[in-house]
Amino acid sequence: MTIPTAPAPHPGRFGRWGGRYVPEILVPALDELDRAFRDARADPAFQAELAGLLRNFAGRPTPLTRCRNFLAGSGLEIYLKREDLLHGGAHKTNQVLAQMLLARRMGKTRVIAETGAGQHGVAVALAGALFRIPVRIYMGATDCARQAPNVFRMKLFGAEVISVTAGSATLKDAMNEALRDWAASYGDTHYLVGTVAGPHPFPTLVGEFQRIIGDEARVQFLEQTGGALPDRVVACIGGGSNALGIFRAFLEDPDVALVGVEAGGAGLASGRHGATISGGRPGILHGAETLILTDGEGQILESHSISAGLDYPGVGPEHVHLHETGRVHYELATDDEALSAFRQLARDEGIIPALESAHALAYCQRLARTRPAPARLLVNLSGRGDKDLAHVQAGLEENPP
Amino acid sequence: MSRYTRLFDRLARERRGALVPFAVLGYPTPARSLAWIEALLPHADALELGLPFSDPIADGPVIQTASHEALAAGARIDSGLATVSRLRAEHPELPIGLLVYANLVYQPGPERFYRQVEAAGADSVLIPDVPAEEAGPYVAAARQAGLAAVLIAPPNAPEATLALIAKLGSGYTYVVSRSGVTGTERGAGRPQARLFETLRALGAPPGLVGFGISSPADVRAALAQGADGVIVGSSLIEKSRDPARLESHLHALAQATLRTVD
């Protein structure tokens, strides 16, 4: 008897989303990366070297911290997965180290990357210093201005930072410029994409190397609660790598609700936001069929968010699939809500979150106001807020709360 | 028989390669776009026209800037296609290709988009960010509308990809002579004769070389390697403010398309 089987899904698709919409000249480079990724995954020496770097250089495992004061009395117990304590200041370093090993494995002698908030750029720059590989970072001019400390960090690590003035001068324009560079340089250069967006295999590869966040958090949560799983896991979404990293370890736990929090900017109705799942439509951007911010003719719209890391008019294609299947629930938090959560966590816990991560905390604050049933929430504190201090200070002086 | 087929037949008889200027529809403004394109026509065997896009990742700074200027001046798909219609009415035999980024086709949907393009009178559509492996649905919609689907053959494509390009492509094959994006900064590169031989053996449509062509020497080199013609874009825009220089540049390029008797 033969058992009918569904046709094997295209490896680069999540449902109908994803793919490789890039100039033909980049397809062989993506094939080469895909092969290196699959070989490395099966290579114990690669896994051992990566594990050693994550432990002894980057500082894994990162702690799981139960909040003492934040939302105390609301019925919500908040546990923070402390990616803010990872070397480099955010979760980005996890997968950057893995891709640096892949770059070396492929014999590449130069690495390029795009960055929004600068956290990915910092991670690539510090890894470039460690591996002695020259690094060039493309960063929108607007982002260079609002995340100046990270520009300085990248330069300290010896990276070249190119300020991109085209278009909205933010993350999407930096990614355009990195793709253009790669179309000319793929022979000796690896393009180290920083999130679960872009053409296949990046969404799969970056998601897999970020999964360590969720795997660790799951074990730590079980330990600290005497065997319970979280009721909800909450993470902010720009491209979506920190969210996918923590969600992937809980996808098979039906009682664990998963919540992604997008950048609501000035509010969905204002049109000034970065909420592509809540407010976007299907389209093609940066190599993938996904949800994007576009006008009816197909011109890409400028996103808006107080946090540079969420200021992107696209989202990783796997998130769109998880949205469609209903496994992950997508919410948003506005600029003001994120700022309020930023200040509250600092005051309550002695922790300054990245403005990106503050969106996930803002969702928790909003939930707390609904007088919810007691619940344990696991929040991915994806990065620390040092990079945001000057920007937030200027904002607070302009508009005191 | 399509306009492209008739063109390539005629050029073979005349022992010439095709000179195909590229222009951004709506550049410098929607109102002045037609005049700019007409200035290119005296030496044009066919036209390649780009609909401006906010994020043109296959283009260098010259065409990016021209695209952003056109959009800022109010260029839309409708105004671009209206210019195509005007050109078609005045030049019934001129092959006109459209270059358009994927999201502009995706938003209305390929069927609707290709019907509009066909109604405007264009002959082909090229989508620079849809490689052969993703091109199936777009090629099918193009054929359905009676349009040729042009695909890009880069120098690094494996033979299996070239075979797919030969199978799916029609009108002409856009042969990229070097890595990188459009523009004159990195020169034209030297297309490999082997690439043309392989494409010909696979039955691909005639090959036009683009990316970085800016001098008569580039044109002669491309033809010597086996190209059926060249596409020139950025170097024309760079001379857009000086009509006399543009005219002499085009004239020199056109002279270089004459194949020397060997």
Side-chain angles (χ1 to χ4, degrees):
Chain A
M1 181 185 139
T2 54
I3 299 162
T5 51
H10 189 287
R13 297 269 176 180
F14 307 91
R16 63 178 269 212
W17 308 100
R20 297 203 289 193
Y21 295 91
V22 293
E24 190 74 61
I25 200 153
L26 286 176
V27 170
L30 294 170
D31 280 335
E32 181 187 17
L33 177 61
D34 193 31
R35 278 193 304 273
F37 170 50
R38 282 185 282 126
D39 288 353
R41 221 168 16 173
D43 178 358
F46 175 88
Q47 297 295 350
E49 186 171 10
L50 178 58
L53 282 166
L54 289 171
R55 188 174 60 246
N56 302 321
F57 175 70
R60 297 213 77 87
T62 58
L64 181 73
T65 302
R66 180 173 177 273
C67 288
R68 290 167 184 255
N69 307 306
F70 182 67
L71 302 183
S74 69
L76 300 181
E77 275 179 46
I78 309 293
Y79 291 78
L80 303 174
K81 180 56 176 164
R82 300 292 306 279
E83 295 301 295
D84 61 316
L85 294 179
L86 193 68
H87 181 44
H91 70 291
K92 297 289 187 185
T93 306
N94 295 322
Q95 73 94 13
V96 164
L97 291 173
Q99 284 202 55
M100 274 290 179
L101 291 178
L102 289 180
R104 198 184 62 189
R105 198 178 176 91
M106 292 185 290
K108 306 293 181 185
T109 54
R110 173 177 177 263
V111 164
I112 57 172
E114 84 295 337
T115 195
Q119 289 303 118
H120 176 57
V122 164
V124 176
L126 68 86
L130 182 68
F131 283 77
R132 290 256 172 263
I133 290 185
V135 162
R136 173 185 278 187
I137 305 293
Y138 290 97
M139 187 168 181
T142 303
D143 292 339
C144 288
R146 62 179 160 175
Q147 311 275 217
N150 272 346
V151 175
F152 184 57
R153 273 189 196 101
M154 288 184 264
K155 289 181 175 169
L156 274 179
F157 290 129
E160 179 189 10
V161 180
I162 306 288
S163 171
V164 179
T165 53
S168 56
T170 60
L171 180 53
K172 95 174 160 74
D173 309 285
M175 198 156 179
N176 290 343
E177 219 42 51
L179 283 166
R180 290 181 186 119
D181 182 316
W182 205 31
S185 64
Y186 57 83
D188 65 2
T189 298
H190 177 54
Y191 177 16
L192 208 162
V193 170
T195 187
V196 291
H200 175 69
F202 287 109
T204 299
L205 180 160
V206 174
E208 171 141 335
F209 289 127
Q210 288 293 6
R211 192 196 155 112
I212 194 166
I213 303 171
D215 286 340
E216 274 179 15
R218 198 171 190 285
V219 171
Q220 292 167 322
F221 201 93
L222 287 165
E223 271 173 18
Q224 290 189 21
T225 59
L229 284 175
D231 296 294
R232 293 179 200 224
V233 179
V234 186
C236 66
I237 309 252
S241 70
N242 90 82
L244 215 51
I246 198 161
F247 290 165
R248 275 197 181 179
F250 297 94
L251 287 173
E252 310 303 324
D253 298 309
D255 294 333
V256 179
L258 305 176
V259 182
V261 186
E262 296 192 286
L268 213 51
S270 71
R272 302 186 71 235
H273 60 81
T276 41
I277 291 181
S278 306
R281 59 166 107 189
I284 292 174
L285 176 64
H286 293 149
E289 182 176 5
T290 184
L291 290 177
I292 63 173
L293 302 181
T294 170
D295 71 12
E297 293 213 330
Q299 307 298 342
I300 306 303
L301 298 174
E302 292 181 9
S303 54
H304 167 84
S305 172
I306 189 169
S307 87
L310 306 184
D311 199 349
Y312 180 62
V315 67
E318 191 171 356
H319 281 294
V320 182
H321 182 57
L322 291 168
H323 168 63
E324 276 192 339
T325 63
R327 181 63 190 95
V328 180
H329 184 60
Y330 293 85
E331 295 272 344
L332 46 83
T334 64
D335 288 350
D336 289 346
E337 289 174 315
L339 264 178
S340 155
F342 177 93
R343 296 167 62 232
Q344 197 65 47
L345 194 77
R347 188 159 295 207
D348 283 348
E349 302 295 331
I351 298 170
I352 299 174
L355 277 173
E356 290 77 13
S357 322
H359 286 70
L361 298 165
Y363 164 80
C364 300
Q365 286 187 311
R366 197 191 316 141
L367 185 66
R369 285 194 292 273
T370 65
R371 303 183 164 276
R376 294 185 175 111
L377 270 57
L378 168 60
V379 177
N380 196 8
L381 198 72
S382 56
R384 59 174 173 252
D386 307 39
K387 68 187 174 58
D388 298 312
L389 294 180
H391 187 58
V392 170
Q393 188 180 10
L396 289 178
E397 281 165 7
E398 212 171 290
N399 296 303
Chain B
M1 199 189 245
S2 73
R3 289 188 186 93
Y4 283 117
T5 310
R6 290 194 294 272
L7 171 68
F8 289 119
D9 284 355
R10 177 167 62 81
L11 290 175
R13 287 195 303 276
E14 294 172 3
R15 300 189 59 78
R16 278 207 301 126
L19 177 61
V20 184
F22 169 86
V24 175
L25 285 162
Y27 170 84
T29 67
R32 287 158 61 202
S33 184
L34 187 63
W36 160 245
I37 295 166
E38 302 234 311
L40 309 175
L41 277 177
H43 300 286
D45 296 303
L47 281 176
E48 186 70 18
L49 302 175
L51 282 170
F53 180 52
S54 53
D55 297 81
I57 56 169
D59 285 302
V62 172
I63 294 175
Q64 278 175 58
T65 304
S67 299
H68 290 156
E69 281 179 28
L71 289 172
R76 295 288 177 270
I77 289 178
D78 282 354
S79 60
L81 293 182
T83 301
V84 173
S85 297
R86 294 270 301 275
L87 288 163
R88 173 51 68 228
E90 288 162 35
H91 309 278
E93 192 49 26
L94 183 76
I96 300 176
L98 211 61
L99 184 148
V100 52
Y101 281 86
N103 196 47
L104 298 177
V105 183
Y106 187 100
Q107 289 310 319
E111 290 76 17
R112 190 171 145 214
F113 181 81
Y114 285 125
R115 273 201 309 274
Q116 288 180 312
V117 170
E118 198 278 335
D123 297 285
S124 66
V125 173
L126 163 61
I127 313 178
D129 51 347
V130 174
E133 68 178 23
E134 302 281 8
Y138 296 89
V139 170
R143 284 187 185 152
Q144 187 70 31
L147 290 169
V150 173
L151 296 182
I152 293 186
N156 63 343
E159 182 149 342
T161 303
L162 294 178
L164 192 57
I165 289 165
K167 184 176 144 214
L168 295 175
S170 50
Y172 71 92
T173 307
Y174 194 127
V175 179
V176 173
S177 57
R178 56 151 170 81
S179 61
V181 295
T182 61
T184 56
E185 295 82 1
R186 299 184 55 244
R190 287 290 175 263
Q192 306 134 333
R194 232 188 98 101
L195 179 58
F196 291 102
E197 284 161 21
T198 308
L199 286 169
R200 206 158 279 143
L202 291 165
L208 300 180
V209 172
F211 282 34
I213 301 276
S214 65
S215 72
D218 295 337
V219 176
R220 281 191 291 270
L223 298 185
Q225 298 295 310
D228 293 281
V230 294
I231 300 174
V232 191
S234 298
S235 80
L236 303 179
I237 297 174
E238 285 167 353
K239 294 167 183 68
S240 62
R241 297 193 202 292
D242 185 344
R245 223 172 122 227
L246 175 69
E247 165 56 30
S248 70
H249 178 56
L250 275 166
H251 180 77
L253 295 176
Q255 286 296 309
T257 63
L258 293 165
R259 293 179 192 277
T260 48
V261 180
D262 44 27

